[in-house]
Amino acid sequence: MRSRAIPDIVSPGGGEHRVQPIDLSIARVIFHRVPQPQGSPATGLQLSDAESPVEPEHICYLEERMKSSLTSIYSWEVRLDLSSRSPIPRLIEAYLRNPSQDSFIHISQECARHLYSCQDRRNTEGMLCAVDCTFDGCQAFALVKFESEDGIRAHAKNLNGKLVFVVEMLRDLLATKKARVLKVGLFWLKDGEIHGLASDHQRSRGSRTEVARFFIDHFLGARLLMDPTVATKRFIEVTCDFINTSIVDNDLKVRIYGHLVSTLEDAAPIIDPQGFAEDKMPEAYRGSYLGCLEAASVPLSVFDKDREVITQMVGSMRFQFESHLLLVGPPKAFKEKVRVEQTEDGLIRTVIEDRLRKVGK
Amino acid sequence: MNWHTLECARQRWENEKPKYEQLAKRIRDDLESCTATAGIQAHISYRIKETASLLKKLWVKQKSYEELSDKAGVRVVVLFLQDLHQVCDLIREAPWWEVVKEEPFGIVYNEIGYRAIHFDVRHCAFPELLCEIQARTVYQDAWAQASHFLQYKKDEHIPHDILRRIYRLSAVLEVADVEFDMIKKDIDKLPDTQPLSVLGELEHHYLQMVGTPYNRELSLEVINALMPLLSQLKDLKGFIHTFVQNYGARLRGIYQKYLEAKGLPRLLLFQPESILIFACFQYDSHQLFSLWSQRFPSEPLVELADIWGIRAPHSAEYPY
């Protein structure tokens, strides 16, 4: 494992892992109903003609839902691809550079029309909400796709002197609290450049499926800022360096390295650095570990796993013998430190030339 | 004092009442603002004299209409003597009015009662009008309410045995006030790792920013639960103070926004410990959630995480 300088992170307890909170403030919203395509163009599409009147509590609730989505593990830094076939990047750029009430309504309608045209029956129908807002004090624009849910409610009623619970259906519920991650695309203008954050829980299944790519890639016309190959490589490097240099106990080193290898080699198409830190890294090291990842620009949100990189960097070789002896190690170590010979009676002689660090049970 | 004089006073009062009401409201608002800024917990109310009450006072006191200085009155009631001294300083130094008269604190040794301090002030927005400000502790207020009910003012009308009992009672209230004040000062001197001391620091900032009522028992329970995290900080008061300095505008914005969102109650937001929780989100949110989950359900903390705009650990998030 190649060693590398790790930034000094002071670790009182969990460590000084600095958190940048999302500062989002909604000015106005407009909702459009976007059903699944139904035969003739734009059948069922209901476009608002004006901003939606909302109370302060609705604004606060929507801000909370958006912030919880954009801070979840299913959110990514993105960039608008102006060469994309989707018109959204050009619409958003036009709005951010010259925001106005009329253009807000017109652009939101165009976004809804595009969503309707690019959806198919695999996509859930619902509402598209355009949001005029500020992000960290900068002019911003967001698109939130709400998927409707049905539910039931039971409330107490006095019927003929008896207490009963009456059940009623509630349809078209949006953004219930249990739905932690909404499909959100937030873009803001800072120092002349457009930055973006997008969230979509379906993206966590990897970018290979059309459904996974639909919202961010096809609808928004955005691409992830962090390339999976780069992200995977950096994650492995930083984690191995951290294990080597920050963890003193050798047994713990081996255990965490084992967790790392199993995380990299499991069937999940994504890597979740935050989840790895929470589930596999002891509490005393968690904060400083996350600080190291952040300092090395490793995204803390979920990213696609690049298996080729994993095979090159971490792939293990194993020799398992009939006596249940097991020799495991990286290919490089096998190449440099292990000599394998066949004896005259067909047995394998394995010679390891290396410094012994520890003998234990 | 004749009937004609009283009738003129009545008519004049009916005309001037709305203006006096504006004056009293204004002074109440100014006092709320400066006590909040100073981090003093105070209950401030105002009243305009009822017409009948004004006429009765004119009749009994044989004073002229102009001589009555308490047509409009504002009352400030605080918990502790040290707060009372601070409030009196604020009243004397306020830029919005001039103190025309001040009735001194304390009483002559053989007088009845445990009196508050009264100021007559002339507000710059209403230069022709006078308003009385009464500043009291809760014990002085209790005495004033009870003694008003008993309708005595002069001791020559009261038998000696009753008088002695009144003196004893007022002395007890005065001792209670002084003792509460000393206890508060001793609590404030406790090491800042003590939950009460932490709460005191948080209350000071909370009152400055919001000042809405809160549940003190809940505050202490939360602070106690977080002590393992807080005890890691060398200077906890400094940590809170620095956080408020750096994020004060953001905090005020959040509180203001949610004050207007009345239909969206958030359990922990309007509690002083919300400031501490927001600060701990910045310092070590993982340990915070871990400690929290040992004592409380995660939902209220996740609500605050959503408001602040940071990620809740995925184990605390609802499954999708």
Side-chain angles (χ1 to χ4, degrees):
Chain A
M1 291 178 239
R2 184 162 52 88
S3 64
R4 206 166 104 182
I6 301 291
D8 274 329
I9 305 285
V10 176
S11 184
E16 285 187 9
H17 171 59
R18 294 273 173 245
V19 171
Q20 192 61 24
I22 282 189
D23 187 4
L24 175 74
S25 189
I26 293 176
R28 51 191 170 174
V29 300
I30 183 165
F31 281 80
H32 306 289
R33 176 174 291 282
V34 183
Q36 284 180 333
Q38 295 170 27
S40 60
T43 305
L45 182 62
Q46 282 182 296
L47 301 180
S48 288
D49 299 316
E51 293 169 29
S52 306
V54 283
E55 298 296 321
E57 50 260 36
H58 306 148
I59 294 282
C60 288
Y61 188 79
L62 187 51
E63 283 177 359
E64 287 176 18
R65 298 275 63 75
M66 288 175 67
K67 280 188 272 189
S68 78
S69 299
L70 293 170
T71 55
S72 75
I73 58 173
Y74 306 117
S75 75
W76 297 268
E77 281 188 70
V78 296
R79 280 276 193 266
L80 289 173
D81 181 2
L82 292 172
S83 63
S84 162
R85 271 196 265 174
S86 165
I88 302 289
R90 290 173 291 286
L91 289 169
I92 290 177
E93 190 193 27
Y95 183 76
L96 287 177
R97 298 203 189 278
N98 192 18
S100 73
Q101 188 173 24
D102 287 340
S103 64
F104 176 63
I105 297 168
H106 167 72
I107 282 170
S108 72
Q109 290 172 340
E110 289 302 311
C111 292
R113 285 193 187 96
H114 170 62
L115 179 61
Y116 182 79
S117 68
C118 68
Q119 281 191 148
D120 61 30
R121 291 201 175 276
R122 290 172 295 178
N123 304 111
T124 321
E125 67 176 19
M127 306 287 284
L128 182 71
C129 176
V131 181
D132 179 16
C133 53
T134 58
F135 178 78
D136 280 350
C138 303
Q139 173 66 50
F141 179 90
L143 290 168
V144 186
K145 192 192 168 204
F146 292 101
E147 290 165 1
S148 309
E149 291 178 67
D150 291 342
I152 58 169
R153 180 171 66 183
H155 59 99
K157 205 169 175 178
N158 193 311
L159 279 180
N160 303 321
K162 293 180 182 174
L163 174 70
V164 295
F165 277 87
V166 177
V167 177
E168 58 176 311
M169 282 296 298
L170 295 173
R171 297 196 186 278
D172 293 336
L173 292 173
L174 306 176
T176 57
K177 250 185 143 173
K178 293 286 181 188
R180 292 288 300 169
V181 184
L182 304 174
K183 290 181 177 20
V184 182
L186 170 72
F187 302 91
W188 65 97
L189 188 65
K190 187 174 178 180
D191 301 328
E193 274 197 38
I194 298 176
H195 303 261
L197 276 176
S199 64
D200 182 3
H201 72 285
Q202 287 180 310
R203 195 70 166 66
S204 67
R205 292 167 203 160
S207 59
R208 295 174 195 278
T209 67
E210 284 300 306
V211 169
R213 291 167 64 93
F214 172 76
F215 181 71
I216 295 176
D217 301 58
H218 297 318
F219 170 63
L220 289 178
R223 52 182 174 75
L224 301 191
L225 202 58
M226 174 60 74
D227 179 69
T229 304
V230 173
T232 305
K233 190 164 178 278
R234 280 197 199 161
F235 172 73
I236 297 169
E237 285 174 348
V238 172
T239 307
C240 289
D241 280 340
F242 185 83
I243 294 170
N244 272 342
T245 59
S246 300
I247 295 176
V248 176
D249 183 83
N250 281 327
D251 285 340
L252 188 57
K253 272 188 211 276
V254 170
R255 201 156 59 240
I256 298 176
Y257 181 68
H259 288 319
L260 173 64
V261 171
S262 65
T263 298
L264 293 170
E265 292 183 344
D266 68 17
I270 49 97
I271 293 173
D272 173 10
Q274 183 98 30
F276 180 82
E278 287 171 16
D279 295 341
K280 310 298 183 193
M281 197 60 73
E283 199 174 318
Y285 294 99
R286 203 172 289 152
S288 47
Y289 170 63
L290 286 169
C292 287
L293 288 176
E294 224 178 10
S297 301
V298 177
L300 296 186
S301 54
V302 164
F303 56 87
D304 290 343
K305 198 182 269 185
D306 187 325
R307 292 196 185 276
E308 275 187 38
V309 164
I310 291 167
T311 306
Q312 283 164 17
M313 295 180 76
V314 187
S316 299
M317 287 184 65
R318 287 183 180 80
F319 283 7
Q320 189 158 5
F321 298 89
E322 269 190 11
S323 58
H324 300 294
L325 279 168
L326 181 65
L327 182 62
V328 179
K332 190 170 179 247
F334 269 87
K335 200 173 166 185
E336 293 172 1
K337 305 287 181 184
V338 176
R339 199 171 69 245
V340 179
E341 303 162 344
Q342 192 164 15
T343 63
E344 286 172 1
D345 44 4
L347 295 176
I348 298 293
R349 179 181 293 122
T350 310
V351 178
I352 303 169
E353 287 186 12
D354 199 356
R355 278 202 188 83
L356 182 66
R357 192 182 274 175
K358 190 177 177 181
V359 175
K361 287 183 184 174
Chain B
M1 182 64 57
N2 59 48
W3 187 251
H4 175 72
T5 310
L6 283 176
E7 182 56 24
C8 289
R10 186 190 69 76
Q11 285 179 14
R12 191 174 167 187
W13 178 234
E14 290 299 325
N15 289 335
E16 291 182 354
K17 230 177 169 178
K19 220 169 172 186
Y20 274 92
E21 176 135 21
Q22 283 178 12
L23 166 66
K25 259 189 200 165
R26 181 70 179 265
I27 290 177
R28 192 259 330 253
D29 293 345
D30 290 337
L31 278 169
E32 277 181 348
S33 166
C34 63
T35 50
T37 304
I40 299 171
Q41 205 164 9
H43 180 255
I44 305 174
S45 57
Y46 75 90
R47 66 102 184 100
I48 310 301
K49 243 182 166 48
E50 294 292 330
T51 306
S53 173
L54 182 132
L55 295 177
K56 285 174 192 171
K57 195 161 184 180
L58 288 174
W59 178 284
V60 167
K61 300 284 184 186
Q62 293 292 304
K63 283 188 176 179
S64 67
Y65 181 89
E66 291 74 17
E67 283 172 318
L68 274 187
S69 60
D70 63 342
K71 297 187 198 64
V74 177
R75 185 176 295 160
V76 185
V77 181
V78 295
L79 288 171
F80 301 105
L81 272 174
Q82 68 182 26
D83 295 338
L84 181 64
H85 294 309
Q86 266 191 284
V87 164
C88 290
D89 286 339
L90 289 173
I91 293 170
R92 290 182 194 109
E93 291 158 17
W96 310 291
W97 54 70
E98 177 202 353
V99 175
V100 169
K101 186 179 164 189
E102 178 178 334
E103 277 185 23
F105 193 90
I107 54 174
V108 178
Y109 74 97
N110 61 350
E111 279 189 0
I112 294 173
Y114 187 36
R115 289 199 328 242
I117 185 163
H118 292 191
F119 299 87
D120 288 343
V121 301
R122 203 182 295 279
H123 200 285
C124 54
F126 303 88
E128 71 283 11
L129 306 179
L130 273 181
C131 180
E132 181 184 79
I133 302 177
Q134 296 174 0
R136 303 171 175 176
T137 64
V138 287
Y139 286 107
Q140 289 167 350
D141 193 47
W143 181 265
Q145 308 272 3
S147 62
H148 184 76
F149 181 72
L150 291 173
Q151 291 295 323
Y152 71 84
K153 292 286 181 190
K154 296 235 181 251
D155 57 3
E156 64 242 31
H157 299 142
I158 303 172
H160 280 194
D161 59 332
I162 296 176
L163 203 58
R164 182 169 168 72
R165 285 157 68 193
I166 293 171
Y167 281 146
R168 275 208 315 251
L169 186 55
S170 73
V172 164
L173 289 176
E174 192 167 343
V175 167
D177 240 343
V178 170
E179 189 61 12
F180 261 117
D181 201 56
M182 285 173 59
I183 289 169
K184 183 173 190 297
K185 283 176 178 148
D186 287 340
I187 286 174
D188 285 343
K189 284 183 202 157
L190 288 172
D192 65 2
T193 49
Q194 293 292 317
L196 272 176
S197 178
V198 175
L199 180 56
E201 184 69 19
L202 293 171
E203 280 173 336
H204 173 77
H205 294 294
Y206 181 77
L207 285 169
Q208 283 183 334
M209 280 190 274
V210 193
T212 53
Y214 54 89
N215 186 313
R216 223 162 180 262
E217 209 178 311
L218 174 59
S219 299
L220 285 169
E221 203 181 337
V222 168
I223 293 169
N224 263 312
L226 300 184
M227 285 313 293
L229 174 61
L230 303 178
S231 57
Q232 295 167 12
L233 293 157
K234 280 185 205 160
D235 177 12
L236 179 52
K237 283 186 180 171
F239 168 73
I240 295 168
H241 180 76
T242 304
F243 174 75
V244 172
Q245 268 198 316
N246 291 339
Y247 289 95
R250 184 129 193 250
L251 284 167
R252 281 186 193 86
I254 288 172
Y255 290 131
Q256 189 53 44
K257 193 181 276 192
Y258 278 80
L259 275 175
E260 291 165 18
K262 291 188 173 64
L264 196 67
R266 290 291 177 247
L267 181 69
L268 290 176
L269 182 60
F270 290 106
Q271 291 279 128
E273 63 274 23
S274 61
I275 298 173
L276 181 64
I277 291 170
F278 288 140
C280 288
F281 281 152
Q282 297 296 116
Y283 171 63
D284 191 339
S285 62
H286 298 286
Q287 198 173 353
L288 170 63
F289 272 92
S290 172
L291 281 170
W292 186 273
S293 63
Q294 292 169 25
R295 294 271 290 264
F296 309 116
S298 62
E299 285 87 337
L301 192 62
V302 173
E303 279 179 354
L304 286 189
D306 287 345
I307 290 170
W308 193 246
I310 63 116
R311 175 189 297 184
H314 73 256
S315 55
E317 290 174 1
Y318 304 132
Y320 188 94

